[in-house]
Amino acid sequence: MKKSIIAAFAGVLALAACQKEANVPVTATKTVSFHSAAVQTKTVFGEMNEDDEIPTLWSKNDSVSVSYNLKDGKMSKPVTVKDNGLSSIFEVDITPDAEAQSHDFYIVSPAKALIGVSAATKALTINIPSSQTPVEGSCDEAAQVLYAEAIDNEEFPEEMLDVFYNHITAYGKISIVGAPAGVTSISLTASEDITGRFRYSVENYEFTPNAASKSLTINTTETEDVMFAVAPADLSGGTLKVVLATEDDKTYTKNIDLTGRTLAFNAAQISK
């Protein structure tokens, strides 16, 4: 009789344990969809519109990197191009943080431009290539970095989020007067950091050099209206060295003294 009572009591404990386990909430992975709702999106520069703005268009092979709350690293995802390149859609599978007071998403395009994230410093590590190969009418797509965010979401989003991208890189257009024949590259060396790795603050939207470089090599045979991308930098009062390399292994150098002169590369703007 005693053994039966013990067995029955053990059965009650087992049932209670099962009931307790069944009541533990399980956070499932959810799919979050993002739609770019801005005209100023990504990749190749389009024709100037009536507002003197040059839109950029998404390409079919574009991808983005997404970070959730700056603590889960980054997730690289391809985009689906819409509206003849004026917009895009992508999805990412995320396990919601049940303890988070806000569900924030940080997005960088192209995907390879985002090197890392830091919740402690509230910053992204961005790489701007020091060697670029421009395409006709545009700079190297790998160097054209855009940023978007969807933040302050008290509840984990259940519907598609509209995000607005901003160019965080600056752009330049250079023409060489009286250039020699057979140019293979144009190299720039500035008095400030313009390429390489930077920390990009998601609080004040500013770059801080982090293994950055003052040099850029543009691989091109063109010498007129050659486009490139750099980190925002004010070279006013500084220096800029321009070196042309040619196919016969010759180099031509021009040192530009910017004392008393203005030359600034500003985010989302093209400087000539």
Side-chain angles (χ1 to χ4, degrees), residues 61-140:
N61 295 323
D62 282 338
S63 61
V64 298
S65 279
V66 187
S67 176
Y68 170 52
N69 284 353
L70 292 178
K71 66 178 184 180
D72 291 331
K74 59 175 184 172
M75 297 159 280
S76 179
K77 294 293 176 180
V79 302
T80 299
V81 179
K82 299 287 186 180
D83 304 323
N84 295 320
L86 289 176
S87 66
S88 68
I89 294 174
F90 71 92
E91 295 181 341
V92 60
D93 294 329
I94 297 175
T95 302
D97 183 352
E99 298 180 356
Q101 296 181 350
S102 179
H103 302 277
D104 301 331
F105 304 91
Y106 305 89
I107 309 165
V108 171
S109 179
K112 291 183 178 180
L114 180 60
I115 304 300
V117 301
S118 172
T121 61
K122 295 288 185 181
L124 312 174
T125 301
I126 301 293
N127 183 66
I128 303 171
S130 297
S131 178
Q132 300 176 19
T133 303
V135 297
E136 184 177 357
S138 183
C139 60
D140 191 329

Side-chain angles (χ1 to χ4, degrees), residues 40-238:
Q40 290 283 9
T41 50
K42 171 82 188 109
T43 304
V44 293
F45 289 107
E47 296 295 328
M48 183 177 293
N49 60 26
E50 63 271 15
D51 297 321
D52 292 334
E53 296 174 339
I54 301 177
T56 49
L57 310 176
W58 291 89
S59 296
K60 64 180 181 179
N61 295 323
D62 282 338
S63 61
V64 298
S65 279
V66 187
S67 176
Y68 170 52
N69 284 353
L70 292 178
K71 66 178 184 180
D72 291 331
K74 59 175 184 172
M75 297 159 280
S76 179
K77 294 293 176 180
V79 302
T80 299
V81 179
K82 299 287 186 180
D83 304 323
N84 295 320
L86 289 176
S87 66
S88 68
I89 294 174
F90 71 92
E91 295 181 341
V92 60
D93 294 329
I94 297 175
T95 302
D97 183 352
E99 298 180 356
Q101 296 181 350
S102 179
H103 302 277
D104 301 331
F105 304 91
Y106 305 89
I107 309 165
V108 171
S109 179
K112 291 183 178 180
L114 180 60
I115 304 300
V117 301
S118 172
T121 61
K122 295 288 185 181
L124 312 174
T125 301
I126 301 293
N127 183 66
I128 303 171
S130 297
S131 178
Q132 300 176 19
T133 303
V135 297
E136 184 177 357
S138 183
C139 60
D140 191 329
E141 294 183 17
Q144 188 183 146
V145 185
L146 283 83
Y147 169 74
E149 60 185 25
I151 60 175
D152 299 328
N153 301 294
E154 295 183 2
E155 302 293 334
F156 194 83
E158 300 290 343
E159 299 180 351
M160 182 178 290
L161 295 173
D162 284 334
V163 291
F164 299 85
Y165 288 85
N166 291 307
H167 293 259
I168 59 176
T169 38
Y171 305 105
K173 182 183 291 187
I174 186 170
S175 295
I176 309 297
V177 178
V183 170
T184 57
S185 69
I186 303 172
S187 296
L188 307 178
T189 302
S191 49
E192 301 289 337
D193 291 316
I194 54 174
T195 60
R197 293 192 178 188
F198 296 81
R199 288 190 179 93
Y200 182 74
S201 170
V202 299
E203 292 185 315
N204 59 25
Y205 308 113
E206 293 181 353
F207 279 98
T208 302
N210 177 28
S213 172
K214 293 179 171 59
S215 298
L216 165 65
T217 297
I218 309 168
N219 303 300
T220 182
T221 58
E222 302 295 328
T223 56
E224 292 186 10
D225 294 333
V226 178
M227 295 196 65
F228 56 91
V230 293
D234 188 356
L235 305 185
S236 303

